[in-house]
Amino acid sequence: LFSESVTHVISENNCSAEVRTWLESQGGGQSLGVHLLDISWYTESMRAGHPVVITDRHKLQLNTYVMELHFLDEDGRGVAFRRAAAVLKALPAQVTSMSQLRGLPCLGEHSLRVIKDVLENGESSEVESTKQSERFKALKILTGIFGVGAKTADRWIREGIYNLQQLRDSGHALNQAQKAGLEHYNDLNQPVTKAEANAIGEIVQKAVISVLPGSQIALTGGFRRGKLTGHDVDFLITHPEEGREVGLMSKVVSWLESQGFLLYQKTTRNSYLESKDGPARPASNMDRFERCFSIFKLTKGEEQGTTQPEKNGVQTMDNRLWRAVRVDLVVSPISQFAFAVLGWTGSKLFERELRRWAGHEKDMSLSSHAVFDNKQNRYLRATSEEEIFAYLGLEYIPPSERNA
Ligand code: DCT
Ligand code: MG
C-alpha cells in the first residue's frame, strides 16, 4: 500500500520562490518535480505561500501506524488519517524529527500525536493497544468477510461474535454475499496478483466478444495504477456504438455462468439518466452504472500451487486446482466511458480529491458519468481522460501517479 507514489507533478516555475527554497532545503535539486497529493490544499497553500510537499517515492514506516489508526474510525476520522498517510507517503525522506513536519498540510493533532509517539518510542502505544484489543481483531476478521461492512461487524461484536466460528455457530441468517464471503474467506483475503488479474482479463475479454462482437474491456482499479496486487480485479466494459451496451451485462454474466467461471454474482441495474436525475452530484461516491459484484473461480496454473498457513500454524499443501477471486464488472455507454475510466481507476482518495477540486476550484460537478459545469449550466463532453483533466485545469496525471 505504501510503496506507491503520489499524484500531480507541477513544473518548478509554478512554485513561489519561498516554496522552491524550502524544497531545495528538503533535498530537492534543480530539476525538482513537485508531487502533490491533495490537489485542493495545493492551491490554498500556494496562495498562502506555504511550502507544499514534496518529491519522490520513499515509503515510511510511519504510514503503517497512521493507517492502523484508520481502523479506529468510529466517528469519520478515516479520511483525515488517509490524508495524513498520503502526506507522509509523499515526503522526500524518512521523517526523523517532528520539525520536518512543520508547515505540512493534512497532519491533524491526532496524527501528529501518533507520529511523535513513534519517533520517541519506536511505536505508538495508542496504535499498539488498539491492535491488541479484541474489538479491533474482531473488526478485522469480520469485515474481512465479503458482504460485511463495519456496521454489521459492529452489531455482531456487540452480540459477542468475534470470529468466524462464533458467527457460524450463532445461527445468524446471512445473505447470499455473506455466505459466499464466508465460504471463500481464505481465498478472498489473499491478495490477487497481476498474473491472476491478467488471466481473468482474458476470460472477461472472451466473454464480451462472444456475446457482443466489437465490445471492449478496460482494466481499471489498482491494477491500472500499476499495483502488483489488489483485493479484487476491476473491469469496465463498453461498445463503440452508443446503445449497443444495453443488456450486455446480463449476457456476459450468463456466458460466464454457463462456462462455470462464477462462484457468486450480483448485478445491480443502471439508473443514470441525465435528464431525469439532473447534474451529477459530487457528494455521491456511488455511480449508477450497471455493475456486477462477482466471485470468479480461477483455475490455478501448475506453478501456482500454494502452501497456506492453517490456523494452528501447520503448513498444509493446498491441492485445490482453483482459487476464488473478487471481480467487479461495470458496463458504461461509450459516451461516458472516459469519465467511467477516470472514476474507476482510483485511488479512492485521489477520486475524492479530484471531485473536491472540481467543485471548489472549478465550480464543476465531476462523477463517473459526466462533468457538469455549474457556471455554464451544461454538461461537458469528453472522449479521453486527458480532456477531463483539461476541463479541470490540471496537467494530465497518469494512473501510476494516482495512488494517493
Ligand atoms: N471507487 C471510488 N469510490 C468508491 C469505490 C470505488 O472512487 N467508493 C473507485 C476508485 C477505485 C475503483 O473504484 C476500484 O475500487 P477498489 O477495487 O475498491 O479499489 P482499488 O484501488 O482497485 O484497490 P484494490 O487494489 O485493493 O482492489
Ligand atoms: Mg480493485
Side-chain angles (χ1 to χ4, degrees), residues 168-179:
R168 287 193 192 98
D169 295 343
S170 73
H172 269 296
L174 303 178
N175 64 32
Q176 291 305 113
Q178 294 162 345
K179 275 183 204 158

Side-chain angles (χ1 to χ4, degrees), residues 33 76 84 100 109 130 151 153 218 243 251 263 297 320 355 367 392:
Q100 285 168 269
E109 206 182 300
T130 300
K151 233 178 174 173
K251 288 185 197 139
L263 295 163
K297 181 176 183 176
R320 253 187 315 131
R355 286 192 291 265
S367 75
L392 298 175

Side-chain angles (χ1 to χ4, degrees), residues 221-222 225 227 229-232 234 285 343-348 351:
R225 303 196 307 276
K227 281 180 65 180
T229 60
H231 93 284
D232 69 357
D234 307 285
N285 280 350
W344 280 89
T345 296
S347 69
K348 288 189 190 92
E351 299 294 335

